[in-house]
Amino acid sequence: MVFKRRINRTLQLLLSDLSDRALANASQWRAGLGEFVETGLPPVPSDLVIATMNGVMGDALEERKSRLAQRMAFSSGMQPLSLDPIRLAGQLSLPQTRIVICVHGWCMNDSQWQRKPHDHGRNLAKFGYTPVYLRYNTGRHISSNGEDFALLLEQLIATWPCPVQEIVIIAHSMGGLVSRSACFYAARHQVSWLNQLTTLVTLGTPHNGAPLAKLASWAETRIAAVPYLQSVVNLTRLRSAGSKDLSLGTICHSDWQREPPPPYPLRPPLPDGVACYAVASCLSQHTQDERSRRIGDGLVPVASALGEGDEQQLAVGFPAVNQCVVGSVNHMGLLTHPFVARKIEQWVLANSG
């Protein structure tokens, strides 16, 4: 028995030493990965590669002041938009008083709204809307992107060539969380564009969190409770801040700044006076089947995409008539499906002044 205790003690000391080494090496590994990304990629890597790297480790890239960190900016879909009034006027051939802003999802960028060859933003141009696309670093905290979005949009509206009468936001996946966060911080900062916002549409947004991100978060929590496995949890913590926020649908600074973090994120109400809509989808055509709704679009369950409440958290608050569930559509299919496009048209035009 004494011999066994000695063996256990020796094993604990060994594992503790390995854990300490892993903790020290984790930051070195993260820095090394950043160095590899900087020097190992082509001088001009593709936008899609950069978007993916930002989702995976965008917070680290930003910390390094990397050339690969996506800076938040607006684009026309063809070129970045300047916030200088004279230059912006020259970039827009026919600016409208109505703007539709498209906000992309995790590991994506502003160029990926154009698919097969549909584009929800450009589709509204025929109704007198100028499409504008937000690009942001999806590895940063969602709330950080949300607050920056709120302030950057205020600058864009101030420099727009004509008075803006109406703003519409269409957001896919993580973009819906960033947009809700932007509305929350727009109210905090008392910016003016919130008064022009008429419609907010979220497509496949994990308002209650995304299962894959939740699984990673759950594993990290469970492993952290086992001293022998600290060396493993140190590696799981290398996930980007944005991917961690996806696990619960976190949109406020306080949800990640507090120690320990709350078990469930704050649920700020949807913006007052704005018609808010949520679109979910199922891989199956049977949208009322419980199993189909749990699987959802393959990444986001229906309950999460609609922001439904349960005994542990409040519902986001989308009115039942403003919710839509589409069958036989996957997560990316929400960007192109004709029925979704018609729904967006219907909702936007119903709220247009």
Side-chain angles (χ1 to χ4, degrees), residues 9 31 94 107 147 249 264:
R9 177 59 178 165
L94 191 61
C107 286
E147 186 170 29
Y264 291 94

PDB file of all heavy atoms in Angstrom, residues 9 31 94 107 147 249 264:
ATOM      1  N   ARG A   9       2.005   9.201  -5.984  1.00  0.00           N
ATOM      2  CA  ARG A   9       2.568  10.530  -5.732  1.00  0.00           C
ATOM      3  C   ARG A   9       3.567  10.908  -6.825  1.00  0.00           C
ATOM      4  O   ARG A   9       3.570  12.039  -7.331  1.00  0.00           O
ATOM      5  CB  ARG A   9       3.248  10.542  -4.363  1.00  0.00           C
ATOM      6  CG  ARG A   9       3.930  11.851  -4.000  1.00  0.00           C
ATOM      7  CD  ARG A   9       2.969  13.001  -3.988  1.00  0.00           C
ATOM      8  NE  ARG A   9       3.621  14.241  -3.591  1.00  0.00           N
ATOM      9  CZ  ARG A   9       3.096  15.441  -3.774  1.00  0.00           C
ATOM     10  NH1 ARG A   9       1.900  15.561  -4.359  1.00  0.00           N
ATOM     11  NH2 ARG A   9       3.748  16.512  -3.381  1.00  0.00           N
ATOM     12  N   ALA A  31       2.400  31.445 -30.314  1.00  0.00           N
ATOM     13  CA  ALA A  31       3.259  32.418 -30.980  1.00  0.00           C
ATOM     14  C   ALA A  31       3.935  31.785 -32.199  1.00  0.00           C
ATOM     15  O   ALA A  31       4.054  32.421 -33.246  1.00  0.00           O
ATOM     16  CB  ALA A  31       4.314  32.936 -30.003  1.00  0.00           C
ATOM     17  N   LEU A  94     -24.451  55.448 -57.595  1.00  0.00           N
ATOM     18  CA  LEU A  94     -25.797  55.968 -57.386  1.00  0.00           C
ATOM     19  C   LEU A  94     -26.248  55.636 -55.957  1.00  0.00           C
ATOM     20  O   LEU A  94     -27.087  54.756 -55.745  1.00  0.00           O
ATOM     21  CB  LEU A  94     -26.776  55.372 -58.406  1.00  0.00           C
ATOM     22  CG  LEU A  94     -28.163  56.015 -58.489  1.00  0.00           C
ATOM     23  CD1 LEU A  94     -28.055  57.480 -58.890  1.00  0.00           C
ATOM     24  CD2 LEU A  94     -29.045  55.252 -59.471  1.00  0.00           C
ATOM     25  N   CYS A 107     -15.535  32.599 -39.797  1.00  0.00           N
ATOM     26  CA  CYS A 107     -14.586  32.112 -40.803  1.00  0.00           C
ATOM     27  C   CYS A 107     -14.959  32.531 -42.224  1.00  0.00           C
ATOM     28  O   CYS A 107     -14.562  31.878 -43.197  1.00  0.00           O
ATOM     29  CB  CYS A 107     -14.440  30.582 -40.741  1.00  0.00           C
ATOM     30  SG  CYS A 107     -13.494  29.983 -39.333  1.00  0.00           S
ATOM     31  N   GLU A 147     -19.545  46.224 -30.754  1.00  0.00           N
ATOM     32  CA  GLU A 147     -19.375  47.632 -30.379  1.00  0.00           C
ATOM     33  C   GLU A 147     -18.657  48.406 -31.481  1.00  0.00           C
ATOM     34  O   GLU A 147     -19.037  49.537 -31.804  1.00  0.00           O
ATOM     35  CB  GLU A 147     -18.600  47.731 -29.070  1.00  0.00           C
ATOM     36  CG  GLU A 147     -18.499  49.155 -28.546  1.00  0.00           C
ATOM     37  CD  GLU A 147     -17.934  49.232 -27.139  1.00  0.00           C
ATOM     38  OE1 GLU A 147     -17.141  48.348 -26.769  1.00  0.00           O
ATOM     39  OE2 GLU A 147     -18.287  50.177 -26.406  1.00  0.00           O
ATOM     40  N   GLY A 249     -23.678  31.928 -27.441  1.00  0.00           N
ATOM     41  CA  GLY A 249     -24.311  33.070 -28.077  1.00  0.00           C
ATOM     42  C   GLY A 249     -24.047  34.358 -27.315  1.00  0.00           C
ATOM     43  O   GLY A 249     -24.927  35.208 -27.168  1.00  0.00           O
ATOM     44  N   TYR A 264     -24.887  31.404 -18.093  1.00  0.00           N
ATOM     45  CA  TYR A 264     -25.640  31.766 -19.288  1.00  0.00           C
ATOM     46  C   TYR A 264     -25.450  33.252 -19.558  1.00  0.00           C
ATOM     47  O   TYR A 264     -25.370  34.060 -18.635  1.00  0.00           O
ATOM     48  CB  TYR A 264     -27.135  31.449 -19.121  1.00  0.00           C
ATOM     49  CG  TYR A 264     -27.401  29.962 -19.074  1.00  0.00           C
ATOM     50  CD1 TYR A 264     -27.482  29.292 -17.856  1.00  0.00           C
ATOM     51  CD2 TYR A 264     -27.513  29.219 -20.241  1.00  0.00           C
ATOM     52  CE1 TYR A 264     -27.684  27.924 -17.812  1.00  0.00           C
ATOM     53  CE2 TYR A 264     -27.714  27.853 -20.212  1.00  0.00           C
ATOM     54  CZ  TYR A 264     -27.808  27.206 -18.998  1.00  0.00           C
ATOM     55  OH  TYR A 264     -27.996  25.855 -18.957  1.00  0.00           O
TER      56      TYR A 264
END
